[in-house]
Amino acid sequence: MRVAVVGAGPAGSLLSYHLAKGGASVTVFDASHPREKPCGGGVTGKALALLPPPPVSDPLPARWVSSCTFDSGEGDRVDVTLDRPVAVCARRDLDAWLLRQAVAAGAAHVAERVTSVDASGRLATSAGRAASFDLIVGADGAGSLVRRTFLTATPPDRLCMATGWYARGTSEMQVRFTPGLPGYLWLFPRPDHVGVGICAPLRAVPSRVLLDRLAREAARSFPALVDEEGDRYAQTIPSPSKDPASLAEIAGPRWALVGDAAALADPITGEGITYALRSAVLLAEAIRADGSPRRYPERVLADFGRDLLKAAAIRDRFYEPGFARRMIRYSGRSPAIRQVLGDLVLGEQGYVGLKRRLLGVGPRFLLEAGLGALRLAG
């Protein structure tokens, strides 16, 4: 099978790695390396388990973090020790590392920008290259050309905006909720700098206002990480709706989408690296089993899709006034709830079954925090 993978981010490179190891002829097209992507760069335990084994001569380029501070933005803070360390990577380094593993497995990297694809498997590039493939995979991010060709762009009501900067220095990992805004800001310490960022639904606030909010918070709380001269970044994060159709649409007879191109990010936290990597694994498995992506959407729904649909359904209620403050306050009193908080925000706890777990560890919290109003099912 001849496969064209458009985009060499985490999803595209990991898919190329698996398909090439399985004997497919894989060409991954991406002219943007080396590049940095606006992203916290946190790679959770679930995501780490999906990565290729690091060669001794080429270890994963990461800083390892074993704790995180959660801040309600209203005076409540709690430090959470993580069961498994999080690897924090600059995306320039992580993406380059994954692409190296794909090429070592037998994939070919063509550093050209794809300008068109069609349903017959035809692909053209900015350098005038034209070729035909049995399968075209869109791994080309939130603004995916492949998605726009076979579907439409992800609707604005399913987009979050992330904006911020990279600061010299170091910091502890921190997640801070933002009262009055359905989102949060973060400090993610990378090997040689700190990712400073904030995210919220695109429909909720213009990116300029979002960036101003981050600048005010940073100047007040961590002024050493304010870089007045540094570049600012902004990036949309696409996610599914609560309708299963938003997952069923991510593949056709000779094409498929993975990662951000498939809008596979957490609607509440915006975390996408885990789902990008997992979607690559699931698509590779579907192709090996069926010779086509026909059953790939079913695999996504069964594996992690229901969690993303649940997150989309409860997102607005998750950020209702006072909820984060109560969660963090009770986390300070209860190690069990503290564990839930760390697992939830860092991608280890799914949303399906969240109410059941909280009922088991903190019925008083459930009553006072109003999770009944949150109407979490299951």
Side-chain angles (χ1 to χ4, degrees), residues 11-373:
S13 289
L14 186 62
L15 176 67
S16 300
Y17 168 85
H18 283 297
L19 292 180
K21 283 192 68 177
S25 174
V26 183
T27 305
V28 56
F29 293 87
D30 195 321
S32 66
H33 280 265
R35 47 91 190 286
E36 182 58 77
K37 179 185 175 182
C39 172
V43 185
T44 66
K46 281 186 177 180
L48 288 167
L50 299 171
L51 296 177
V56 174
S57 61
D58 191 10
L60 184 70
R63 176 173 175 176
W64 298 90
V65 179
S66 58
S67 66
C68 182
T69 297
F70 294 93
D71 190 320
S72 69
E74 299 177 278
D76 300 280
R77 292 165 60 94
V78 64
D79 295 322
V80 175
T81 300
L82 306 177
D83 276 352
R84 292 187 285 177
V86 171
V88 185
C89 306
R91 283 294 301 274
R92 175 187 179 111
D93 299 334
L94 174 63
D95 291 11
W97 183 86
L98 274 166
L99 182 57
R100 288 197 297 274
Q101 311 318 308
V103 170
H109 172 216
V110 174
E112 297 173 13
R113 181 174 59 87
V114 173
T115 56
S116 68
V117 294
D118 66 31
S120 72
R122 192 80 171 163
L123 176 150
T125 76
S126 56
R129 183 190 301 261
S132 292
F133 296 88
D134 301 307
L135 177 67
I136 293 177
V137 179
D140 45 342
S144 171
L145 168 71
V146 179
R147 183 186 182 95
R148 287 184 281 113
T149 299
F150 295 114
L151 296 173
T152 60
T154 304
D157 64 353
R158 288 168 50 192
L159 297 175
C160 282
M161 174 62 71
T163 186
W165 61 82
Y166 304 114
R168 293 182 293 273
T170 188
S171 167
E172 299 303 313
M173 180 184 283
Q174 182 177 150
V175 171
R176 174 181 291 190
F177 294 95
T178 49
L181 189 72
Y184 65 97
L185 66 84
W186 67 83
L187 304 177
F188 271 45
R190 294 171 166 194
D192 60 357
H193 64 273
V194 180
V196 181
I198 190 169
C199 68
L202 185 64
R203 58 178 165 76
V205 59
S207 59
R208 182 69 256 175
V209 174
L210 196 61
L211 188 58
D212 289 344
R213 173 69 178 267
L214 176 61
R216 291 196 305 272
E217 295 262 359
R220 182 174 68 250
S221 301
F222 31 90
L225 299 179
V226 176
D227 186 348
E228 300 288 356
E229 305 300 323
D231 293 336
R232 273 34 181 171
Y233 65 72
Q235 174 77 27
T236 55
I237 303 171
S239 59
S241 72
K242 62 182 180 182
D243 185 346
S246 61
L247 299 179
E249 68 184 7
I250 61 174
R254 297 185 65 173
W255 61 272
L257 304 171
V258 291
D260 279 358
L264 297 177
D266 185 323
I268 290 177
T269 68
E271 199 277 315
I273 292 177
T274 300
Y275 303 111
L277 297 173
R278 189 64 186 149
S279 66
V281 171
L282 293 173
L283 179 55
E285 290 175 351
I287 292 169
R288 282 198 299 268
D290 304 321
S292 81
R294 178 176 58 90
R295 302 192 64 181
Y296 162 60
E298 297 174 28
R299 289 173 179 261
V300 168
L301 181 62
D303 189 275
F304 62 79
R306 290 186 178 87
D307 252 355
L308 296 188
L309 299 178
K310 168 57 82 175
I314 68 170
R315 186 190 200 290
D316 291 342
R317 296 192 290 272
F318 189 90
Y319 286 108
E320 282 181 345
F323 174 71
R325 183 178 188 181
R326 288 188 290 269
M327 183 112 177
I328 289 171
R329 181 175 294 172
Y330 278 92
S331 294
R333 302 174 188 173
S334 166
I337 295 177
R338 195 155 58 243
Q339 184 67 59
V340 174
L341 178 63
D343 288 350
L344 179 65
V345 179
L346 297 177
E348 300 291 335
Q349 166 66 48
Y351 300 101
V352 175
L354 173 60
K355 180 179 178 181
R356 185 165 54 251
R357 184 176 176 192
L358 284 171
L359 278 168
V361 300
R364 183 182 174 196
F365 166 75
L366 282 171
L367 177 65
E368 296 191 20
L371 278 180

